[in-house]
């Protein structure tokens, strides 16, 4: 009997051990989703003790070494200082590459953070928002004209649903992407953004361009977007992808643009461009192997003296100038979701905190600080004199600000307008074959069409 | 049927004590069964069922019959990935397993320098596949890679982007895993060490040469280990992802496309039903490989 009892106890112990191994070890993890989930709150939620500090944790990729951390981390600290004793935000560092997947995982577990920093656009539009995962911001925006009056019209229209609900807070700033050039290697006298694309290519001559053709081919995609925008009807074609992803590339607009891109890849690409990831392209530019690189204004931080350790072959960040693309084209998507939304499962106190944070981020002082750090424009904001004076101190941001006028044409990046798998994988996968001539522009277009159709066929 | 009945009849009837112990046997099996059902059986059934649905991973799946399979088999990338898988399996079965077996014999016979061979062979095997993929990106880099630098000593104008040009990309990806066969070596070496020494002595007395001993005694007796190695190598080719994703992402074109890349692309597009259909095909190919290799190597037969 004793033996049997011991064996039974041992079996129970084994089961209990296995069950314990499967758990997270976090006592909070098994609580119902919502206010007290571990990712939502690192401290007391305060419903029973309103005097206590309301704390939340935000998963963010703008932390650590990420280029966005330079501005975002201090911004959160400023918020915490402003609301000391009332609210506190803690950042949870998530690598940018896996950030969208992390959000999806949290959503599947009904453990979305209170404040959600973006996410996969398709997922937000088709899964998260229609399934009630987001808090409706429309009433708050109506009660907070200081924020609503700053929002971009296109963005507000895009984010407003048919029933009037607004889940993603529309952007107040636009950061048109152009290109940077090393004036020590190439110093054209023309106003580059005022030229036509053909004139620009003539002025460019045999100067080298840093391209990335691996990963999603980001730098090549930006150039391709500019080439498409320069074609008749190109901008309208790109914008057609805002409503429904583009799946047909067999047209003159795309094929003509790809023909020019192929010529650039074959004649003007820096030597490391084939198979280059974004970091390789940036290295080519910052080691004077290429005179041009296309990227957003956030890259301006790389040209500051503080980052001179990354410069090679006599490259000097002070020599870098910036321009929008020929035809005054700036690559920016204004009809899009904003950076922030709030989880519908958050408690009232947490929503109160989240709204306070959004109001803080959209305050004129913070918007100006953001534009000074990362460039761009807030069309509906009356800039202070201090801001205008400081904006001129960073040469490339001043160049872009000078180019951004009422005549600027905004074109959405092609990667945002095509199905996700085509943008993330297929496009970059075929660029090397376009560069070495294995595929003609027409074949490239056909191949992209096949991939996009396959990605959207159910 | 008769054979089964006969085999059943031949089984000795369990004694009273043994029958009394059954409940304890089942009790101790319970944790394993629970884990198997929860973490293997249920997900596999779910993958099968949802492969016949249109499913975005969040909302309820909608039954769409064979649509996912029709889309899959009419997709040129899928057909190319099947072709690639077949070629990779061939290379793995012949060269990968062959190389691992060769090293096992070297380590077994311990010729001069065998310790160096062991160190040189084993150390790279502890590096992850993902890390090797990144290392190979440097090795095969056209500008500063070791390979092209050496080739340019003989041909200064040589330029090949190994990972980004047809037909080299396929072979460049193949090289990222081809020589890392430590599992094959360990499994075969284990079998070699278990061969009774009397067999060697008897063969020597009968006048067998060293090569004859290897060919007619050792290799046949390692049949089970080599078969196991082939199964492990081939199923690893089905699941291979990092080496492709981190180097060519399936390109150029579809030259290095694989089922795992297609599966991930399906998830990227929120086509979980389609992704699971790809998963089902991977699972079935794995079963076929298991069955064929089992039969070819007669793995259910004992040697001693």
């Amino acid at each position: 009997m004793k033996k049997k009892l011991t064996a039974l106890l041992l079996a129970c112990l084994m089961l209990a051990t296995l069950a314990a191994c499967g758990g997270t070890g976090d006592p909070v993890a098994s609580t119902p989703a919502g206010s007290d989930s571990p990712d939502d709150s690192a401290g007391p939620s305060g419903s029973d003790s309103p005097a206590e500090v309301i704390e939340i944790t935000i998963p963010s990729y703008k932390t650590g070494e990420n280029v966005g951390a330079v501005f975002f981390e201090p911004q959160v600290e400023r918020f915490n200082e402003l609301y000391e004793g009332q609210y506190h935000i803690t950042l949870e560092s998530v690598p940018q590459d896996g950030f969208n997947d992390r959000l999806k995982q949290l959503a599947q577990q009904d453990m979305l953070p209170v404040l959600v920093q973006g996410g996969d656009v398709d997922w937000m539009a088709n899964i998260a928002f229609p399934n009630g995962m987001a808090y409706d911001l429309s009433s708050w925006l109506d009660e907070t004209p200081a924020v609503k009056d700053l929002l971009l019209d296109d963005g507000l229209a895009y984010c407003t649903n048919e029933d009037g609900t607004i889940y993603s807070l529309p952007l107040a700033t636009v950061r048109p992407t152009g290109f940077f050039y090393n004036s020590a290697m190439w110093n054209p006298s023309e106003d580059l953004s005022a030229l036509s694309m053909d004139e620009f290519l003539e002025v460019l001559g045999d100067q080298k361009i840093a391209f990335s053709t691996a990963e999603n081919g980001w730098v090549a995609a930006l150039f391709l977007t500019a080439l498409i925008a320069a074609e008749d009807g190109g901008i309208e074609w790109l914008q057609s992808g805002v409503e429904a992803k583009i799946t047909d590339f067999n047209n003159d607009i795309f094929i003509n643009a790809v023909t020019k891109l192929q010529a650039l890849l074959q004649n003007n690409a820096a030597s490391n461009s084939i198979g280059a990831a974004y970091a390789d392209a940036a290295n080519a530019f910052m080691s004077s192997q290429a005179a041009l690189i296309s990227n957003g204004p956030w890259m301006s931080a790389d040209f500051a003296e503080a980052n001179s350790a990354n410069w090679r072959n006599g490259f000097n960040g002070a020599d870098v100038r910036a321009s929008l693309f020929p035809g005054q084209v700036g690559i920016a998507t204004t009809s899009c979701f904003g950076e922030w939304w709030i989880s519908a499962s958050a408690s009232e106190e947490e929503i109160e905190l989240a709204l306070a944070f959004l109001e803080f981020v959209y305050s004129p002082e913070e918007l100006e600080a953001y534009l000074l750090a990362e460039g761009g424009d807030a069309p509906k904001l009356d800039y202070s004199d201090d801001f205008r004076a400081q904006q001129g101190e960073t040469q490339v941001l001043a160049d872009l600000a000078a180019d951004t006028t009422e005549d600027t044409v905004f074109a959405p990046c092609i990667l945002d307008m095509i199905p996700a798998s085509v943008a993330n994988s297929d496009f970059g996968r075929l660029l090397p074959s376009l560069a070495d001539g294995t595929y003609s522009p027409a074949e490239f277009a056909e191949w992209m069409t096949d991939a996009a159709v396959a990605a959207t066929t159910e | 049927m008769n054979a089964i009945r006969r085999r059943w009849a031949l089984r000795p009837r369990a004694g009273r004590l043994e029958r009394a112990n059954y409940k304890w046997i089942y009790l101790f099996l319970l944790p394993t069964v629970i884990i198997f059902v929860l973490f293997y059986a249920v997900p596999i059934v779910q993958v099968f069922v949802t492969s016949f649905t249109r499913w975005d991973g969040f909302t309820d799946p909608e039954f769409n019959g064979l649509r996912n399979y029709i889309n899959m088999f009419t997709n040129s990338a899928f057909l190319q990935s099947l072709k690639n898988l077949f070629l990779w399996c061939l290379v793995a079965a012949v060269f990968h397993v062959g190389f691992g077996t060769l090293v096992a014999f070297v380590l077994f016979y311990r010729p001069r320098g065998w310790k160096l061979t062991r160190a040189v062979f084993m150390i790279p095997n502890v590096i992850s596949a993902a890390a090797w993929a990144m290392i190979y990106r440097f090795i095969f880099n056209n500008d500063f890679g070791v390979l092209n630098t050496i080739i340019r000593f003989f041909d200064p104008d040589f330029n090949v982007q190994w990972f980004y040009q047809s037909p080299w990309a396929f072979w460049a990806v193949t090289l990222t895993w081809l020589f890392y066969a430590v599992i094959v070596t360990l499994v075969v070496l284990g079998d070699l060490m278990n061969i009774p020494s009397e067999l060697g002595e008897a063969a020597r007395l009968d006048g067998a040469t060293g090569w004859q001993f290897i060919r007619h005694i050792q290799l046949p007796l390692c049949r089970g280990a080599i078969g196991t190695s082939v199964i492990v190598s081939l199923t690893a080719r089905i699941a291979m992802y990092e080496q492709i994703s981190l180097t060519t992402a399936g390109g150029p074109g579809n030259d290095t496309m694989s089922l795992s890349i297609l599966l991930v692309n399906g998830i990227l597009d929120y086509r979980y039903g389609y992704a699971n259909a790809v998963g089902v095909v991977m699972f079935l190919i794995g079963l076929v490989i298991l069955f064929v290799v089992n039969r070819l190597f007669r793995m259910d037969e004992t040697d001693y």
Side-chain angles (χ1 to χ4, degrees), chain A residues 153-347:
Chain A
D153 293 336
D154 287 350
L156 185 59
Y158 182 84
C159 293
T160 306
N161 300 305
E162 284 178 7
D163 60 0
T165 53
I166 299 173
Y167 296 123
S168 175
L169 182 58
L171 294 173
T173 58
V174 58
R175 292 191 298 173
T177 291
F179 61 89
F180 300 99
Y181 61 96
N182 185 343
S183 63
M185 297 173 73
W186 182 54
N187 199 7
S189 54
E190 296 86 349
D191 175 0
L192 296 172
S193 66
L195 301 175
S196 70
M197 182 56 82
D198 289 336
E199 288 167 340
F200 170 77
L201 294 176
E202 200 173 313
V203 171
L204 181 66
D206 58 0
Q207 291 296 331
K208 295 297 176 198
I209 304 172
F211 281 113
S212 65
T213 56
E215 297 168 342
N216 62 356
W218 168 247
V219 182
L222 291 176
F223 244 99
L224 178 61
T225 303
L227 292 166
I228 293 170
E231 294 290 320
D232 282 342
I235 290 174
E236 292 75 17
W237 184 75
L238 283 168
Q239 283 171 340
S240 70
V242 173
E243 289 302 317
K245 296 290 184 189
I246 297 172
T247 54
D248 185 5
F249 300 86
N250 295 317
N251 57 64
D252 289 344
I253 294 170
F254 186 74
I255 293 172
N256 288 345
V258 170
T259 305
K260 288 174 184 164
L261 179 68
Q262 187 179 44
L264 287 174
L265 285 169
Q266 291 175 341
N267 304 320
N268 294 80
S271 63
N272 73 341
S273 293
I274 303 305
Y278 166 73
D280 301 319
N283 280 338
F285 184 70
M286 290 193 285
S287 58
S288 302
Q289 293 174 52
L292 272 86
I293 187 169
S294 178
N295 203 6
W298 52 87
M299 197 182 181
S300 61
D302 288 338
F303 310 135
E305 190 65 33
N307 285 317
S308 59
N310 297 326
W311 302 346
R312 299 282 182 277
N313 297 336
F315 177 87
N316 184 354
D319 293 333
V320 178
R321 302 294 301 268
S323 170
L324 291 185
F325 282 105
Q328 295 188 307
V329 170
I331 298 175
T333 311
T334 49
S335 297
C336 61
F337 290 130
E339 186 175 6
W340 296 102
W341 50 288
I342 298 174
S343 166
S345 58
S347 69

Side-chain angles (χ1 to χ4, degrees), chain A residues 4 7-8 11 18 104 108 120 122-123 127 131 271-272 274-275 420-421 429-430 432-433 436 447 454-455 457-458, chain B residues 24 27 31 54 56-59 67 71 137 143 161 164-165 248-254 257 265 268-271:
Chain A
K4 284 182 180 177
L8 186 65
L18 286 167
K104 289 174 201 170
Q108 277 177 327
D120 184 317
D122 292 339
W123 173 74
I127 310 290
N131 286 292
S271 63
N272 73 341
I274 303 305
S421 68
R429 208 168 71 231
L430 204 65
S433 300
D436 68 17
W447 197 92
T457 304
E458 291 288 356
Chain B
W24 298 109
L27 188 65
R54 181 177 183 269
D56 58 20
F58 290 87
T59 50
R67 177 52 51 194
N71 288 342
R137 278 182 64 163
D143 287 340
Q161 302 278 0
Y164 304 99
Q165 264 179 261
T248 63
N254 287 326
M257 184 50 73
N265 281 353
L268 278 176
D269 292 321
Y270 305 105
R271 301 162 74 212

Side-chain angles (χ1 to χ4, degrees), chain A residues 26 28-43 45 55 57 106 109-114 343 345 350:
Chain A
D26 182 352
V28 190
S30 59
T31 57
S35 61
D36 292 327
S37 62
D39 283 293
D40 289 351
S41 173
S45 298
E55 291 189 48
T57 298
L106 290 172
Q109 295 161 8
D110 201 11
M111 288 169 65
L112 272 173
V114 173
S343 166
S345 58
E350 288 167 340

Side-chain angles (χ1 to χ4, degrees), chain B residues 108-134:
Chain B
F108 180 74
Y109 279 105
R110 301 184 175 190
R112 190 180 161 82
W114 73 275
K115 281 188 178 171
L116 179 70
T117 307
R118 184 179 62 183
V120 169
F121 182 69
M122 294 289 180
I123 290 171
N125 279 288
V126 300
I127 300 173
S128 75
W132 267 122
M134 299 309 288

Side-chain angles (χ1 to χ4, degrees), chain A residues 10-12 14-16 18, chain B residues 25-37 39:
Chain A
L10 275 172
C12 291
M14 195 189 295
L15 266 174
L18 286 167
Chain B
I25 292 169
Y26 292 136
L27 188 65
F28 279 102
L29 273 176
L30 194 62
T32 312
V33 172
I34 290 173
I35 287 173
F36 177 80
V37 171
F39 297 104

Side-chain angles (χ1 to χ4, degrees), chain B residues 159-196:
Chain B
N159 272 299
V160 167
Q161 302 278 0
W162 296 100
F163 278 125
Y164 304 99
Q165 264 179 261
S166 291
W168 310 114
F170 180 88
W171 299 108
V173 168
T174 305
L175 281 173
T176 62
W177 54 264
L178 187 62
F179 297 113
Y180 306 110
V182 74
I183 293 174
V184 178
T185 301
L186 292 178
V187 171
V188 176
L189 188 60
D191 255 22
L192 276 175
M193 292 167 95
N194 281 334
I195 295 174

